[in-house]
């Protein structure tokens, strides 16, 4: 087995964007001498992923996540740098490469709206040359896990968003890929559907050693599914490591949230303010000093209703970005 | 690999039948222009008059024939490609183990077969009507020639439209281009009227372009008792066009995909 499933070296992507001008004269200028600006969407990314890892690829809107996924899956060519997936160069678009990956994008449907999911799935079975009996069994199994068995023969355009997404997932994995790329796959799904999908992915990763590369703005998705996090900001990596390590690094602090009282005075606070509004405030306190800090605040009648909590992944990510963008 | 494309043909065919509304629209699309054109020409040509060598009953056959060919050949691959490129839908095909042009070709075949199946009863009725009323006699050889020409017409049409659609790799808005193309090609293919009614020199020029093979040539084979050598020489020229366009298509496709992957993905 390959030692690395995904190997990215100095990967960059620049887009040339033509500035639109409005007047007629400018339109003519646009045609003959377009004014272009360069957008550096991805800058010099390097990282590796081992087989069977679950990657959470995190970044703010416009950070370059989709651009990276497109390069890794071979639909977009890098401006410079290289990537290797399971030993293949995606830009060569070899059939065996295409058969070893799957892509599911939350905002782009790959299903055929006029046909039933079963029609589509059986097309995939032929396309990916998968044994028919084995295929039928996998589909039944997975459809059960996803609680979607009763929708396989409904015309796709009549499915709800969540049902359709489940079929996209099903279609993504029945082809038996080595790597599954997921770009915001849980957009618009209800809590139950999200839970089903997370369970589904975790199970697949365990049972089949499927490598998962996931972007999501829902940190609960990432927390549930991923064990390796790559965080990017404006196209550059700002964190690459195990989720455990990130949590541990920030685990030395806790958040204390309380309701402000009449004596409240922000200048008296020694701790860092995380958020506050008219009535409540959250401060960050080193784990060992929480009791003393709360006692002191209480003694000075600064607040009431104290709540102490660990930093959630989401909090940590917000802090990371805040620090980066200072 | 071939199995995949056959599966795509089936899926494409099934999509048409899955939508009742598209079936109805299709029938109207095929019928209305034929009827309109037929009445138009009936009004112009009367009695035993001929126009461009066509008498009234031949004109009837001409329009039925043109629409039959139409329903087998003319698939808006250019519009579809334009749409898929600009919406990014094309990426869904790029990352599948498929070749893009074969995929679209298989899709077109499925779609056209669906059309043919739907229109078959009508065409059959029309054919029987013409036959019974002795408006039309046809030999087996002509039928074979016609069928072969029809298949080449479909292939040539595909290559041509695919090339036109590929312009979308380089330009944002093809709407106007595609509309104009539609009218010009219809005209040059002989969809609006038989090319023979044009002045001689113009007919000669138009007939040296590939467009006549989309409609005019197959229908001529069908209704103008031409010699075998006429069919053979034209078919050889048509094959040359197919080969030429095929290589141009491969080149444009490669460059286009390169560009798509550089700027859009
Ligand atoms: N086809 C394109 N042409 C020009 N610029 C583009 C193109 N696609 C993306 N960009 C720009 O590249 C940057 C990165 O975009 P990308 O879609 O990769 O972000 P993202 O991390 O996926 O964001 P989101 O979370 O909003 O989906 C953005 O600034 C975007 O405007
Ligand atoms: Mg994105």
């Amino acid at each position: 087995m390959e030692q690395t499933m995904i190997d990215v070296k100095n990967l960059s992507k620049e887009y040339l964007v033509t500035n639109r001008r409005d007047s007629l004269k400018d339109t003519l200028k646009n045609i003959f001498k377009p004014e272009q600006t360069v957008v550096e969407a991805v800058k010099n990314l390097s990282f590796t992923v081992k087989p069977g890892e679950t990657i959470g690829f995190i970044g703010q809107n416009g950070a370059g996540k989709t651009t990276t996924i497109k390069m890794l899956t071979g639909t977009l060519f890098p401006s410079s740098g290289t990537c290797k997936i399971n030993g293949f160069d995606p830009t060569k678009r070899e059939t065996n490469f295409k058969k070893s990956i799957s892509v599911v994008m939350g905002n782009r449907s790959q299903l055929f709206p006029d046909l039933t999911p079963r029609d589509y799935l059986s097309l995939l079975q032929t396309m990916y040359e998968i044994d028919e009996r084995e295929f039928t069994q996998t589909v039944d199994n997975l459809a059960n896990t996803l609680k979607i068995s009763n929708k396989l023969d409904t015309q796709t355009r009549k499915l709800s968003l969540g049902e359709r997404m489940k079929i996209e997932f099903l279609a993504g994995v029945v082809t038996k890929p080595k790597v599954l790329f997921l770009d915001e796959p849980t957009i618009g799904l209800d809590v139950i559907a999200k839970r089903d999908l997370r369970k589904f992915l975790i199970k697949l990763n365990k049972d089949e050693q499927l490598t998962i590369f996931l972007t999501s703005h829902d940190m609960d998705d990432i927390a549930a599914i991923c064990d390796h996090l790559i965080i990017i900001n404006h196209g550059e990596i700002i964190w690459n490591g195990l989720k455990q390590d990130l949590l541990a690094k920030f685990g030395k602090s806790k958040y204390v949230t309380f309701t402000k009282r009449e004596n409240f005075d922000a200048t008296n606070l020694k701790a860092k303010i995380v958020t506050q509004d008219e009535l409540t405030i959250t401060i960050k306190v080193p784990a060992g000093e929480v009791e003393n800090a709360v006692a002191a605040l209480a003694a000075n009648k600064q607040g009431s209703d104290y709540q102490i909590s660990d930093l959630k992944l989401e909090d940590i990510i917000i802090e990371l970005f805040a620090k980066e963008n200072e | 690999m071939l199995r995949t494309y056959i599966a795509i043909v089936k899926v494409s065919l099934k999509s048409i039948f899955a939508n009742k509304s598209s079936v109805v629209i299709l029938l109207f699309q095929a019928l209305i222009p034929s009827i309109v054109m037929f009445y138009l020409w009936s009004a112009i040509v009367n009695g035993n008059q001929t126009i461009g060598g066509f008498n009234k009953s031949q004109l009837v056959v001409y329009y039925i024939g043109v629409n039959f060919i139409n329903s087998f050949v003319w698939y808006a691959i250019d519009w579809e490609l334009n749409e898929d490129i600009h919406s990014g839908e094309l990426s869904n095909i790029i990352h599948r183990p498929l070749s893009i042009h074969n995929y679209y070709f298989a899709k077109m075949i499925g779609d056209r077969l669906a059309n043919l199946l739907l229109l078959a009863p009508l065409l059959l009725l029309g054919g029987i009507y013409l036959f019974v009323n002795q408006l039309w006699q046809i030999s087996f050889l002509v039928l074979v020639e016609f069928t072969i020409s029809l298949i080449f017409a479909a292939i040539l049409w595909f290559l041509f439209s695919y090339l036109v659609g590929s312009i979308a790799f380089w330009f944002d808005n093809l709407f106007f281009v595609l509309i104009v193309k539609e009218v010009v090609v219809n005209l040059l293919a002989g969809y609006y009227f038989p090319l023979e009614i044009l002045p001689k020199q113009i007919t000669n020029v138009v007939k040296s372009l590939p467009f006549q093979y989309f409609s005019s040539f197959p229908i001529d084979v069908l209704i103008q008792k031409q010699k075998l050598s006429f069919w053979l020489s034209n078919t050889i020229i048509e094959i040359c066009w197919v080969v030429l366009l095929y290589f141009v298509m491969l080149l444009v496709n490669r460059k286009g995909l390169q560009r798509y992957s550089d700027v859009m993905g």
Side-chain angles (χ1 to χ4, degrees):
Chain A
M1 194 184 245
E2 285 275 336
Q3 275 306 297
T4 48
M5 187 56 89
I6 303 178
D7 188 3
V8 174
K9 281 206 187 83
N10 308 325
L11 195 67
S12 301
K13 183 69 196 178
E14 292 168 357
Y15 290 110
L16 274 181
V17 183
T18 311
N19 302 339
R20 305 248 166 213
R21 287 167 289 194
D22 282 336
S23 73
L24 183 65
K25 196 177 118 214
D26 290 342
T27 308
L28 287 177
K29 255 198 214 155
N30 267 348
I31 294 173
F32 296 108
K33 223 168 88 191
E35 195 177 279
Q36 293 185 314
T37 37
V38 177
V39 177
E40 288 186 77
V42 170
K43 296 174 210 161
N44 221 17
L45 288 195
S46 298
F47 60 86
T48 58
V49 175
K50 292 201 267 306
E53 271 194 301
T54 42
I55 307 295
F57 195 54
I58 305 170
Q60 288 164 295
N61 290 131
K65 302 180 296 296
T66 303
T67 303
T68 306
I69 289 200
K70 283 177 173 176
M71 289 193 281
L72 298 183
T73 54
T75 56
L76 187 70
F77 293 162
S79 307
S80 64
T82 57
C83 48
K84 280 252 150 61
I85 311 292
N86 195 25
F88 293 104
D89 174 357
T91 62
K92 295 210 176 102
R93 295 186 177 148
E94 289 157 272
T95 303
N96 283 338
F97 162 70
K98 293 178 183 175
K99 284 188 178 174
S100 66
I101 63 157
S102 263
V103 195
V104 176
M105 298 212 163
N107 59 358
R108 184 189 283 165
S109 176
Q110 305 184 38
L111 310 177
F112 295 149
D114 292 330
L115 300 177
T116 65
R118 210 185 283 284
D119 288 327
Y120 181 66
L121 294 171
S122 78
L123 175 64
L124 293 182
Q125 183 245 320
T126 317
M127 200 184 292
Y128 287 78
E129 299 171 291
I130 296 163
D131 175 70
E132 192 166 343
R133 270 191 42 218
E134 187 191 341
F135 187 83
T136 316
Q137 212 166 38
T138 329
V139 169
D140 286 349
N141 259 335
L142 296 178
N144 253 333
T145 322
L146 283 170
K147 305 200 190 91
I148 195 79
S149 306
N150 59 338
K151 298 288 177 188
L152 287 179
D153 295 305
T154 310
Q155 197 185 26
T156 302
R157 86 165 69 249
K158 291 176 186 140
L159 298 179
S160 79
L161 173 69
E163 290 160 354
R164 211 200 67 217
M165 267 328 285
K166 286 179 175 182
I167 302 291
E168 304 264 2
F169 268 80
L170 193 54
V173 299
V174 288
T175 59
K176 303 212 162 281
K178 291 251 168 39
V179 194
L180 178 60
F181 291 93
L182 303 162
D183 194 2
E184 297 182 46
T186 56
I187 281 186
L189 299 189
D190 70 35
V191 278
I192 313 262
K194 275 190 187 182
R195 197 192 55 196
D196 291 346
L197 284 176
R198 286 175 195 156
K199 270 195 198 156
F200 174 75
L201 289 174
I202 293 165
K203 186 167 157 11
L204 271 167
N205 171 254
K206 273 223 191 77
D207 298 350
E208 322 266 332
Q209 288 298 300
L210 177 66
T211 309
I212 297 177
F213 194 94
L214 166 76
T215 83
S216 178
H217 291 295
D218 184 338
M219 286 309 133
D220 294 338
D221 288 345
I222 306 264
I225 299 163
C226 305
D227 46 42
H228 178 167
L229 305 184
I230 298 174
I231 305 176
I232 61 169
N233 191 33
H234 300 303
E236 289 173 297
I237 295 187
I238 57 172
W239 167 273
N240 178 2
L242 295 180
K243 180 176 65 188
Q244 292 315 334
D245 294 346
L246 185 68
L247 288 172
K249 189 176 160 203
F250 283 80
K252 296 185 194 98
S253 307
K254 287 188 190 291
Y255 280 169
V256 177
T257 305
F258 58 92
T259 309
K260 294 173 187 172
R261 280 181 59 178
E262 59 275 12
N263 278 353
F264 178 77
D265 181 1
T267 51
N268 273 349
L269 288 174
K270 286 185 203 75
K272 200 172 155 232
I273 298 172
V274 181
T275 55
Q276 63 171 327
D277 56 32
E278 294 279 294
L279 299 173
T280 62
I281 181 166
T282 302
I283 55 174
K284 186 177 166 190
V285 182
E289 295 166 24
V290 171
E291 270 175 43
N292 289 340
V294 172
L297 287 166
N300 296 332
K301 293 202 168 60
Q302 290 237 40
S304 58
D305 299 328
Y306 296 94
Q307 288 167 24
I308 298 154
S309 55
D310 287 322
L311 270 69
K312 290 200 297 282
L313 185 58
E314 185 162 315
D315 304 321
I316 297 173
I317 303 285
I318 292 172
E319 287 207 4
L320 264 179
F321 285 135
K323 218 183 326 173
E324 278 299 315
N325 296 336
E326 253 165 25
Chain B
M1 258 336 232
L2 191 63
R3 280 188 56 212
T4 302
Y5 294 108
I6 292 172
I8 292 167
V9 169
K10 277 193 205 144
V11 160
S12 167
L13 194 147
K14 227 170 166 178
S15 305
I16 301 284
F17 284 104
N19 271 344
K20 288 199 192 64
S21 59
S22 74
V23 170
V24 174
I25 289 172
L26 210 106
L27 290 178
F28 275 107
Q29 264 179 355
L31 279 180
I32 291 184
S34 330
I35 294 169
V36 169
M37 284 306 198
F38 168 61
Y39 275 104
L40 199 76
W41 284 105
S42 300
I44 298 171
V45 186
N46 40 41
N48 287 331
Q49 232 181 322
T50 62
I51 189 162
F54 286 82
N55 63 30
K56 195 166 165 178
S57 66
Q58 278 173 322
L59 279 173
V60 177
V61 179
Y62 187 88
Y63 281 108
I64 293 177
V66 156
N67 279 288
F68 168 74
I69 294 168
N70 209 5
S71 61
F72 185 67
V73 174
W74 298 51
Y75 176 66
I77 190 79
D78 39 6
W79 290 90
E80 189 175 345
L81 197 55
N82 175 44
E83 170 70 25
D84 287 356
I85 288 171
H86 289 143
S87 67
E89 195 91 345
L90 192 69
S91 299
N92 292 344
I93 309 159
I94 292 180
H95 71 69
R96 294 285 179 209
L98 294 170
S99 104
I100 311 266
H101 54 274
N102 289 347
Y103 166 81
Y104 281 107
F105 187 64
K107 235 183 134 190
M108 162 171 154
I109 298 289
D111 185 277
R112 296 295 94 176
L113 281 180
N115 268 7
L116 211 56
L117 285 177
L118 282 171
L119 296 178
L122 279 176
L123 291 163
L124 215 65
L125 280 179
I128 291 170
Y129 172 82
L130 292 173
F131 214 70
V132 169
N133 288 297
Q134 303 203 326
L135 292 169
W136 187 39
Q137 285 103 26
I138 190 166
S139 71
F140 180 70
L141 178 66
V142 166
L143 217 54
V144 172
E145 288 175 1
F146 174 71
T147 309
I148 295 174
S149 295
L150 201 59
I151 292 167
F152 277 121
I155 296 172
L156 193 65
W157 169 261
F158 172 79
L159 292 170
F160 172 73
S161 318
Y162 192 91
L163 275 172
V164 173
S166 300
I167 300 173
F169 283 120
W170 288 272
F171 294 98
D172 273 350
N173 198 340
L174 282 198
F175 184 78
F176 188 64
V177 175
L178 291 179
I179 293 279
V180 171
K181 177 234 105 188
E182 207 95 317
V183 175
V184 172
V185 170
N186 277 340
L187 200 72
L188 297 178
Y191 178 70
Y192 295 136
F193 49 78
L195 295 176
E196 286 76 5
I197 71 173
L198 292 166
K200 192 90 181 95
Q201 288 96 330
I202 299 181
T203 308
N204 286 344
V205 172
V206 172
K207 289 223 155 183
S208 61
L209 298 173
F211 308 110
Q212 65 142 329
Y213 296 107
F214 299 152
S215 296
S216 173
F217 173 65
I219 201 72
D220 281 354
V221 168
L222 196 63
I223 61 178
Q224 290 185 351
K225 306 194 168 58
Q226 299 276 10
K227 290 204 193 78
L228 181 63
S229 61
F230 167 82
W231 180 80
L232 220 59
S233 56
N234 268 289
T235 300
I236 289 169
I237 298 173
E238 185 174 11
I239 291 172
C240 293
W241 279 114
V242 166
V243 172
L244 179 73
L245 287 193
Y246 179 71
F247 284 108
V248 176
M249 187 274 286
L250 286 185
L251 181 78
V252 169
N253 202 37
R254 211 183 59 228
K255 295 257 182 244
L257 281 177
Q258 172 78 41
R259 184 173 154 89
Y260 179 84
S261 306
D262 282 339
V263 303
M264 282 178 277

